[in-house]
Amino acid sequence: MAMDEYYFEEGCFITELHNTADDVAVSVARARVRPGETTRWHRLQGICERYLILEGSGVVEIGEAAPQKVGPGETVIIPPGLRQRITNTGKGNLLFLAVCTPRFVPEAYDDMEEGGGA
């Protein structure tokens, strides 16, 4: 059962579509980044994340790779432990599915910006 959208400290809004201890293999959430905003540098320890872009345009940064423009229909794969962030470069919301394997758990989230968490 999906939850209501909530603001996550990373700098985006999240709607959990599938994340349960009964299925530890995968989680799926819808993320929404407002126009002109950039999520915080972060990484997921032990979790591979995929961004499946649904709407809008953005620039994703992963590890030390060059920034990559993204738009609807594109998929970005973020290996475990690599720093990441995404910027909404469009005029509307940037919407994407965040698919994590194994499933996302808060303990795996590592905020990498000054003044952040772990």
Side-chain angles (χ1 to χ4, degrees), residues 7-45:
Y7 185 77
F8 186 59
E9 64 188 287
E10 178 183 323
C12 61
F13 294 85
I14 297 292
T15 302
E16 295 281 353
L17 302 176
H18 178 78
N19 190 349
T20 173
D22 295 335
D23 183 3
V24 298
V26 65
S27 65
V28 180
R30 188 191 75 166
R32 179 172 64 87
V33 180
R34 292 182 290 206
E37 295 195 358
T38 300
T39 60
R40 295 175 65 84
W41 278 115
H42 66 285
R43 64 183 167 201
L44 299 181
Q45 298 294 347

Side-chain angles (χ1 to χ4, degrees), residues 61-79:
E61 297 171 86
I62 302 168
E64 299 304 318
Q68 174 186 346
K69 291 181 180 180
V70 293
E74 295 185 279
T75 299
V76 177
I77 299 173
I78 304 152

Side-chain angles (χ1 to χ4, degrees), residues 33 36-39 41 51 53 55-62 65-71 74 76 78 84-90 94 96:
V33 180
E37 295 195 358
T38 300
T39 60
W41 278 115
Y51 291 170
I53 310 299
E55 289 180 24
S57 58
V59 172
V60 67
E61 297 171 86
I62 302 168
Q68 174 186 346
K69 291 181 180 180
V70 293
E74 295 185 279
V76 177
I78 304 152
Q84 60 174 293
R85 69 179 179 181
I86 193 166
T87 300
N88 181 343
T89 58
L94 174 61
F96 59 94

